[in-house]
Amino acid sequence: MNLSARQRALAVAGVALAGLLAGAVPAATAQAAAAAPDIPVANVKQHLADLQSIASANGGNRAHGRPGYQASINFVKAKLDAAGFTTTIQQFTSSGATGYNLIADWPGGDANQVVMAGSHLDSVTSGPGINDNGSGSAAILETALAVARSGYQPTKHLRFAWWGAEELGLVGSRYYVNNLPATDRAKISGYLNFDMIGSPNPGYFVYDDDPTIEKTFKDYFAGLGVPTEIETEGDGRSDHASFKNVGIPVGGLFTGASRTKTSAQVQKWGGTATAFDRCYHSSCDTTANINDTALDRNSDAIAHAIWTLSSGTTNPPGKVFENTSDVSIPDNGAAVTSSVSVTGVTGNAPSNLAVGVDIIHTWRGDLVVDLVAPDGTVYNLKPFSSSDSADNVQTTYTVNASAEVANGTWSLRVQDRATYDTGYINGFKLTFS
Ligand code: TRP
Ligand code: ZN
Ligand code: CA
């Protein structure tokens, strides 16, 4: 985006006008948000069959502290590692046994804006826990694999989690949140929880928490023509409570546990006026205890929400911030700076930040030139070099500034380190691609 002569003239007034100047640049068309893929329910069901086999081979359950839980963690982790996720196992102790959370980060996206989805992977001891909560675990696993298959590059950072010891009282998720530094908590823009999403006599319940997350789910089901209700069968009875307790926006989906479906709900969703899940916390919570339609719709809704909530706003290309005030550089003296105030750029600076430098000087080798990010990080653009006798530094440097938050005050810092020749900063310009 080139600046008009008038905009340049305005910019000469300097730092205070940099934000105004950016506002004067016409908004370019934002890129269309990528649509979520359909999540193949057959793949989700295969994960459930595998979790069932794990339970069957390990005494009939996948409970905290039992070999079926460890095997479940290994199973999910191997799939994520193969797909290119960065996985971490977090250990904790509960009721005298070691528990495990599995965290999977999809490389890329804005580390300061994390969209997180989680499901508890443990079952109760009385059964294999296929609806509770193989269903949520398998659906977010397949969504993560779909992220990898499609090479999705979200604006925000994506993180998936499988919690241990939920059935002992949200132990794993609470451990994760309690051990997350406050600065990292603040980076989680939303946590989505999926616990029981394939109940055999399903209802379609959406958590009534963060309005944006709630609306994202409701809109998806409205598009399918499937009515939803607010989840009321025990708010706080799953891992989202651990996040909500520390102020992180939460949301999620649920198809019902031991509560009885009302006749009005039967009218709405079909099924029978019996428990949503008659096998809740029982040995019959097997692969036979799943409604495929509910599993399919909820898996697709999860992908829709993750794609929608992570795409964020796309920055129009070529936002320019410029300061053309002259700053004289004292001979063999202290460093001086010229600054611009960057506003309205989402997320981090680009890996190819264009740093336009215009310095008038009679022996440029005297000069050390740095870019200083808003947090004070220094990027050296040009070293001192006594033998370089040429005039002026008039060039554009490309800086990998992707570790820096874009918005804030950026400075060009110049120091003259040898006597006799002198000059001044004529202009400093940042272009965010
Ligand atoms: N795993 C949860 C539990 O055993 C199931 C559950 C009950 C639930 N009520 C809920 C999950 C409400 C989400 C929302 O308690
Ligand atoms: Zn449960
Ligand atoms: Ca000098």
Side-chain angles (χ1 to χ4, degrees), residues 120 124 132-133 166-167 170 193-196 207 231-240 253-254 256-258 280-281:
H120 77 85
V124 289
D132 181 14
N133 183 32
E166 185 271 353
E167 298 290 4
L170 320 181
N193 193 64
F194 306 102
D195 184 0
M196 304 183 73
Y207 299 3
E231 189 285 303
T232 59
E233 194 176 355
D235 197 18
R237 277 181 65 187
S238 192
D239 298 297
H240 57 293
L253 299 173
F254 179 58
S258 55
Y280 176 62
H281 285 191

Side-chain angles (χ1 to χ4, degrees), residues 94-336:
S94 183
S95 302
T98 303
Y100 306 94
N101 293 325
L102 172 62
I103 313 296
D105 284 279
W106 181 238
D110 181 358
N112 291 303
Q113 303 180 82
V114 179
V115 173
M116 194 166 179
S119 293
H120 77 85
L121 185 59
D122 64 315
S123 72
V124 289
T125 53
S126 50
I130 297 305
N131 185 37
D132 181 14
N133 183 32
S135 62
S137 296
I140 67 166
L141 171 58
E142 190 56 27
T143 303
L145 299 179
V147 165
R149 278 197 297 272
S150 62
Y152 180 39
Q153 292 187 302
T155 303
K156 297 184 183 174
H157 180 77
L158 293 182
R159 182 176 301 152
F160 296 85
W162 288 261
W163 309 118
E166 185 271 353
E167 298 290 4
L168 281 68
L170 320 181
V171 176
S173 57
R174 192 164 356 100
Y175 185 86
Y176 175 81
V177 167
N178 286 347
N179 286 279
L180 202 58
T183 50
D184 290 338
R185 282 183 192 166
K187 292 174 184 170
I188 302 178
S189 28
Y191 171 75
L192 314 181
N193 193 64
F194 306 102
D195 184 0
M196 304 183 73
I197 57 162
S199 303
N201 182 32
Y204 292 89
F205 297 103
V206 178
Y207 299 3
D208 179 22
D209 263 290
D210 178 70
T212 303
I213 300 173
E214 182 180 342
K215 182 176 180 338
T216 305
F217 286 127
K218 283 182 172 170
D219 287 351
Y220 185 77
F221 283 101
L224 294 182
V226 174
T228 60
E229 287 186 14
I230 296 306
E231 189 285 303
T232 59
E233 194 176 355
D235 197 18
R237 277 181 65 187
S238 192
D239 298 297
H240 57 293
S242 302
F243 289 78
K244 188 181 161 115
N245 284 343
V246 296
I248 295 169
V250 303
L253 299 173
F254 179 58
T255 52
S258 55
R259 189 179 277 182
T260 303
K261 193 186 264 189
T262 65
S263 56
Q265 289 171 327
V266 172
Q267 290 286 313
K268 192 180 270 187
W269 293 318
T272 58
T274 58
F276 291 103
D277 182 356
R278 67 177 191 88
C279 291
Y280 176 62
H281 285 191
S282 310
S283 59
C284 62
D285 187 9
T286 64
T287 48
N289 191 44
I290 289 288
N291 179 287
D292 290 358
T293 303
L295 187 69
D296 191 11
R297 288 171 174 169
N298 282 310
S299 299
D300 291 339
I302 292 168
H304 170 78
I306 288 174
W307 256 257
T308 306
L309 295 168
S310 65
S311 74
T313 51
T314 307
N315 291 315
K319 271 201 173 187
V320 179
F321 300 86
E322 186 171 23
N323 187 337
T324 54
S325 305
D326 291 1
V327 179
S328 69
I329 307 163
D331 190 26
N332 196 23
V336 293

